[in-house]
Amino acid sequence: MNRIEKIREYVDNIILHIPDETVRRCGYSHLYGVSQACAMIALKRRENVELATIAGMLHDIYYYSIMDSKDHAHRGSVMAREILISLQSFDVDEIDMICNAIHNHSCKGSKHSSFDEVLIDADVLQHCLYNPLFDVAEHEIQRYGNLKLEFDLL
Ligand SMILES: [Fe+2]
């Protein structure tokens, strides 16, 4: 089983046991939607596709485990580190890359490292494409516009 599938197994286990059906559906579509968007953006920008895919799957794992959005990016990076260490399949640099991206993913207003930017943009893309007929949130308009330009969608 490759490392992406190991993480998927872990995430499935958490998401598929959420009692509320609506939250379960949202969690599944959001975590795997962001993960696929991470893969696409990382491919385009020549970033590490495997680690970006994993960062997407884990980025809101704290929220969907504890159902508390307060400080979820920072707490989520701590939780993701524990998960990644427990799987004994990642080295320290890889864990740092994934966890730093998760730590920073809520700061959509500022610019981060090129790897961190993949996760932030993937989060925006999933929010905006979940239903393309919904209005785009004010704080995501700029990034969504830049992504449409980057992917030739205008
Ligand atoms: Fe998210």
mmCIF file of all heavy atoms in Angstrom, residues 1 3-4 6-7 30-31 39 45 52 55 68 79 83 87 94 105 107 119 130 133 146 151-152:
data_model
loop_
_atom_site.group_PDB
_atom_site.id
_atom_site.type_symbol
_atom_site.label_atom_id
_atom_site.label_comp_id
_atom_site.label_asym_id
_atom_site.label_seq_id
_atom_site.Cartn_x
_atom_site.Cartn_y
_atom_site.Cartn_z
ATOM 1 N N MET A 1 0.858 -1.199 0.000
ATOM 2 C CA MET A 1 0.000 0.000 0.000
ATOM 3 C C MET A 1 0.895 1.250 0.000
ATOM 4 O O MET A 1 1.784 1.349 0.837
ATOM 5 C CB MET A 1 -0.863 -0.014 1.270
ATOM 6 C CG MET A 1 -1.942 1.056 1.284
ATOM 7 S SD MET A 1 -2.809 1.146 2.890
ATOM 8 C CE MET A 1 -3.773 -0.352 2.860
ATOM 9 N N ARG A 3 1.906 5.380 0.332
ATOM 10 C CA ARG A 3 1.693 6.235 1.505
ATOM 11 C C ARG A 3 0.385 7.029 1.414
ATOM 12 O O ARG A 3 -0.258 7.282 2.431
ATOM 13 C CB ARG A 3 2.896 7.161 1.689
ATOM 14 C CG ARG A 3 4.181 6.368 1.904
ATOM 15 C CD ARG A 3 5.290 7.212 2.448
ATOM 16 N NE ARG A 3 5.734 8.251 1.538
ATOM 17 C CZ ARG A 3 6.721 9.103 1.822
ATOM 18 N NH1 ARG A 3 7.355 9.004 2.979
ATOM 19 N NH2 ARG A 3 7.074 10.036 0.961
ATOM 20 N N ILE A 4 0.002 7.393 0.196
ATOM 21 C CA ILE A 4 -1.275 8.114 0.053
ATOM 22 C C ILE A 4 -2.425 7.212 0.506
ATOM 23 O O ILE A 4 -3.341 7.643 1.212
ATOM 24 C CB ILE A 4 -1.472 8.593 -1.403
ATOM 25 C CG1 ILE A 4 -0.447 9.682 -1.736
ATOM 26 C CG2 ILE A 4 -2.899 9.079 -1.624
ATOM 27 C CD1 ILE A 4 -0.465 10.145 -3.193
ATOM 28 N N LYS A 6 -2.247 4.743 2.615
ATOM 29 C CA LYS A 6 -2.185 4.568 4.082
ATOM 30 C C LYS A 6 -2.920 5.716 4.779
ATOM 31 O O LYS A 6 -3.657 5.515 5.740
ATOM 32 C CB LYS A 6 -0.732 4.568 4.560
ATOM 33 C CG LYS A 6 -0.032 3.251 4.382
ATOM 34 C CD LYS A 6 1.328 3.324 5.073
ATOM 35 C CE LYS A 6 2.137 2.089 4.724
ATOM 36 N NZ LYS A 6 3.505 2.139 5.237
ATOM 37 N N ILE A 7 -2.667 6.935 4.294
ATOM 38 C CA ILE A 7 -3.323 8.100 4.894
ATOM 39 C C ILE A 7 -4.827 8.056 4.611
ATOM 40 O O ILE A 7 -5.653 8.356 5.480
ATOM 41 C CB ILE A 7 -2.717 9.420 4.355
ATOM 42 C CG1 ILE A 7 -1.232 9.497 4.677
ATOM 43 C CG2 ILE A 7 -3.459 10.635 4.917
ATOM 44 C CD1 ILE A 7 -0.899 9.610 6.153
ATOM 45 N N HIS A 30 -14.959 17.428 1.205
ATOM 46 C CA HIS A 30 -13.970 18.494 1.388
ATOM 47 C C HIS A 30 -12.542 17.940 1.469
ATOM 48 O O HIS A 30 -11.652 18.402 0.749
ATOM 49 C CB HIS A 30 -14.288 19.336 2.623
ATOM 50 C CG HIS A 30 -13.351 20.488 2.785
ATOM 51 N ND1 HIS A 30 -13.214 21.471 1.825
ATOM 52 C CD2 HIS A 30 -12.465 20.805 3.756
ATOM 53 C CE1 HIS A 30 -12.296 22.344 2.212
ATOM 54 N NE2 HIS A 30 -11.818 21.961 3.385
ATOM 55 N N LEU A 31 -12.311 16.958 2.317
ATOM 56 C CA LEU A 31 -10.927 16.469 2.476
ATOM 57 C C LEU A 31 -10.406 15.837 1.185
ATOM 58 O O LEU A 31 -9.272 16.108 0.763
ATOM 59 C CB LEU A 31 -10.822 15.481 3.637
ATOM 60 C CG LEU A 31 -11.065 16.068 5.026
ATOM 61 C CD1 LEU A 31 -10.797 15.032 6.106
ATOM 62 C CD2 LEU A 31 -10.195 17.298 5.274
ATOM 63 N N ALA A 39 -3.251 17.827 -5.622
ATOM 64 C CA ALA A 39 -2.500 17.049 -6.621
ATOM 65 C C ALA A 39 -2.416 17.819 -7.940
ATOM 66 O O ALA A 39 -1.346 17.914 -8.556
ATOM 67 C CB ALA A 39 -3.171 15.692 -6.828
ATOM 68 N N ARG A 45 2.581 23.193 -10.687
ATOM 69 C CA ARG A 45 3.670 24.045 -10.169
ATOM 70 C C ARG A 45 4.945 23.265 -9.878
ATOM 71 O O ARG A 45 5.882 23.801 -9.317
ATOM 72 C CB ARG A 45 3.192 24.744 -8.881
ATOM 73 C CG ARG A 45 2.012 25.667 -9.115
ATOM 74 C CD ARG A 45 1.559 26.319 -7.832
ATOM 75 N NE ARG A 45 0.325 27.076 -8.037
ATOM 76 C CZ ARG A 45 -0.408 27.604 -7.066
ATOM 77 N NH1 ARG A 45 -0.006 27.467 -5.808
ATOM 78 N NH2 ARG A 45 -1.517 28.264 -7.339
ATOM 79 N N ALA A 52 1.721 16.861 -1.148
ATOM 80 C CA ALA A 52 0.601 17.809 -1.259
ATOM 81 C C ALA A 52 -0.737 17.072 -1.160
ATOM 82 O O ALA A 52 -1.667 17.536 -0.484
ATOM 83 C CB ALA A 52 0.694 18.573 -2.585
ATOM 84 N N ALA A 55 -1.215 16.269 2.448
ATOM 85 C CA ALA A 55 -1.540 17.485 3.220
ATOM 86 C C ALA A 55 -3.020 17.832 3.045
ATOM 87 O O ALA A 55 -3.704 18.200 4.003
ATOM 88 C CB ALA A 55 -0.656 18.646 2.778
ATOM 89 N N ASP A 68 -14.547 20.960 16.189
ATOM 90 C CA ASP A 68 -14.325 22.279 16.775
ATOM 91 C C ASP A 68 -13.400 23.035 15.817
ATOM 92 O O ASP A 68 -12.290 22.582 15.535
ATOM 93 C CB ASP A 68 -13.658 22.105 18.154
ATOM 94 C CG ASP A 68 -13.325 23.446 18.805
ATOM 95 O OD1 ASP A 68 -13.741 24.500 18.270
ATOM 96 O OD2 ASP A 68 -12.649 23.434 19.848
ATOM 97 N N MET A 79 -1.982 17.448 15.346
ATOM 98 C CA MET A 79 -2.623 16.139 15.192
ATOM 99 C C MET A 79 -2.049 15.390 13.979
ATOM 100 O O MET A 79 -1.774 14.181 14.054
ATOM 101 C CB MET A 79 -4.126 16.342 15.005
ATOM 102 C CG MET A 79 -4.921 15.087 15.064
ATOM 103 S SD MET A 79 -6.675 15.531 15.028
ATOM 104 C CE MET A 79 -7.359 14.022 15.636
ATOM 105 N N ILE A 83 -0.201 11.693 13.716
ATOM 106 C CA ILE A 83 -0.643 10.637 12.784
ATOM 107 C C ILE A 83 0.537 10.179 11.921
ATOM 108 O O ILE A 83 0.802 8.982 11.764
ATOM 109 C CB ILE A 83 -1.790 11.156 11.870
ATOM 110 C CG1 ILE A 83 -3.038 11.446 12.709
ATOM 111 C CG2 ILE A 83 -2.091 10.163 10.747
ATOM 112 C CD1 ILE A 83 -4.121 12.240 11.969
ATOM 113 N N LEU A 87 2.563 6.405 11.813
ATOM 114 C CA LEU A 87 2.578 5.504 10.646
ATOM 115 C C LEU A 87 4.001 5.039 10.283
ATOM 116 O O LEU A 87 4.163 4.108 9.493
ATOM 117 C CB LEU A 87 1.913 6.177 9.438
ATOM 118 C CG LEU A 87 0.398 6.387 9.592
ATOM 119 C CD1 LEU A 87 -0.151 7.166 8.414
ATOM 120 C CD2 LEU A 87 -0.339 5.058 9.735
ATOM 121 N N GLU A 94 9.767 15.513 5.635
ATOM 122 C CA GLU A 94 8.451 15.344 4.997
ATOM 123 C C GLU A 94 7.331 15.706 5.967
ATOM 124 O O GLU A 94 6.360 16.385 5.590
ATOM 125 C CB GLU A 94 8.272 13.891 4.527
ATOM 126 C CG GLU A 94 9.193 13.514 3.380
ATOM 127 C CD GLU A 94 9.142 12.034 3.053
ATOM 128 O OE1 GLU A 94 8.968 11.200 3.973
ATOM 129 O OE2 GLU A 94 9.285 11.695 1.871
ATOM 130 N N HIS A 105 -2.532 26.994 6.678
ATOM 131 C CA HIS A 105 -3.542 27.011 5.618
ATOM 132 C C HIS A 105 -4.723 27.948 5.867
ATOM 133 O O HIS A 105 -5.455 28.275 4.927
ATOM 134 C CB HIS A 105 -4.034 25.587 5.296
ATOM 135 C CG HIS A 105 -5.177 25.091 6.131
ATOM 136 N ND1 HIS A 105 -5.006 24.418 7.311
ATOM 137 C CD2 HIS A 105 -6.524 25.177 5.950
ATOM 138 C CE1 HIS A 105 -6.193 24.102 7.816
ATOM 139 N NE2 HIS A 105 -7.133 24.550 7.013
ATOM 140 N N CYS A 107 -4.352 31.076 6.823
ATOM 141 C CA CYS A 107 -3.912 32.459 6.556
ATOM 142 C C CYS A 107 -3.984 32.736 5.059
ATOM 143 O O CYS A 107 -2.939 32.804 4.387
ATOM 144 C CB CYS A 107 -2.493 32.678 7.060
ATOM 145 S SG CYS A 107 -2.264 32.229 8.774
ATOM 146 N N LEU A 119 -1.630 24.115 -0.781
ATOM 147 C CA LEU A 119 -2.745 23.720 0.085
ATOM 148 C C LEU A 119 -3.750 24.863 0.256
ATOM 149 O O LEU A 119 -4.965 24.639 0.197
ATOM 150 C CB LEU A 119 -2.221 23.260 1.461
ATOM 151 C CG LEU A 119 -3.292 22.872 2.482
ATOM 152 C CD1 LEU A 119 -4.203 21.755 1.960
ATOM 153 C CD2 LEU A 119 -2.649 22.436 3.797
ATOM 154 N N TYR A 130 -17.247 23.502 -5.180
ATOM 155 C CA TYR A 130 -18.222 22.592 -4.569
ATOM 156 C C TYR A 130 -19.577 22.791 -5.245
ATOM 157 O O TYR A 130 -20.268 21.843 -5.617
ATOM 158 C CB TYR A 130 -18.316 22.875 -3.067
ATOM 159 C CG TYR A 130 -19.462 22.172 -2.402
ATOM 160 C CD1 TYR A 130 -19.404 20.809 -2.153
ATOM 161 C CD2 TYR A 130 -20.632 22.876 -2.050
ATOM 162 C CE1 TYR A 130 -20.474 20.148 -1.560
ATOM 163 C CE2 TYR A 130 -21.697 22.213 -1.458
ATOM 164 C CZ TYR A 130 -21.614 20.859 -1.215
ATOM 165 O OH TYR A 130 -22.665 20.210 -0.640
ATOM 166 N N LEU A 133 -22.193 27.548 -8.753
ATOM 167 C CA LEU A 133 -23.259 28.546 -8.870
ATOM 168 C C LEU A 133 -23.410 29.385 -7.602
ATOM 169 O O LEU A 133 -24.060 30.418 -7.606
ATOM 170 C CB LEU A 133 -24.599 27.866 -9.202
ATOM 171 C CG LEU A 133 -24.603 27.019 -10.482
ATOM 172 C CD1 LEU A 133 -25.999 26.485 -10.762
ATOM 173 C CD2 LEU A 133 -24.099 27.812 -11.680
ATOM 174 N N ASN A 146 -7.052 34.357 -9.321
ATOM 175 C CA ASN A 146 -5.685 34.007 -9.728
ATOM 176 C C ASN A 146 -5.605 32.560 -10.209
ATOM 177 O O ASN A 146 -4.899 32.246 -11.175
ATOM 178 C CB ASN A 146 -4.711 34.204 -8.565
ATOM 179 C CG ASN A 146 -4.504 35.667 -8.231
ATOM 180 O OD1 ASN A 146 -4.812 36.542 -9.038
ATOM 181 N ND2 ASN A 146 -4.011 35.948 -7.038
ATOM 182 N N PHE A 151 -5.025 28.479 -14.458
ATOM 183 C CA PHE A 151 -5.494 27.259 -15.127
ATOM 184 C C PHE A 151 -6.286 27.572 -16.403
ATOM 185 O O PHE A 151 -6.982 26.711 -16.922
ATOM 186 C CB PHE A 151 -6.317 26.409 -14.147
ATOM 187 C CG PHE A 151 -5.444 25.700 -13.153
ATOM 188 C CD1 PHE A 151 -5.104 26.299 -11.951
ATOM 189 C CD2 PHE A 151 -4.908 24.453 -13.430
ATOM 190 C CE1 PHE A 151 -4.265 25.659 -11.044
ATOM 191 C CE2 PHE A 151 -4.075 23.808 -12.536
ATOM 192 C CZ PHE A 151 -3.752 24.415 -11.334
ATOM 193 N N ASP A 152 -6.152 28.805 -16.876
ATOM 194 C CA ASP A 152 -6.775 29.179 -18.147
ATOM 195 C C ASP A 152 -8.284 28.973 -18.149
ATOM 196 O O ASP A 152 -8.835 28.423 -19.103
ATOM 197 C CB ASP A 152 -6.173 28.318 -19.274
ATOM 198 C CG ASP A 152 -5.388 29.174 -20.236
ATOM 199 O OD1 ASP A 152 -5.656 30.380 -20.282
ATOM 200 O OD2 ASP A 152 -4.512 28.621 -20.934
#
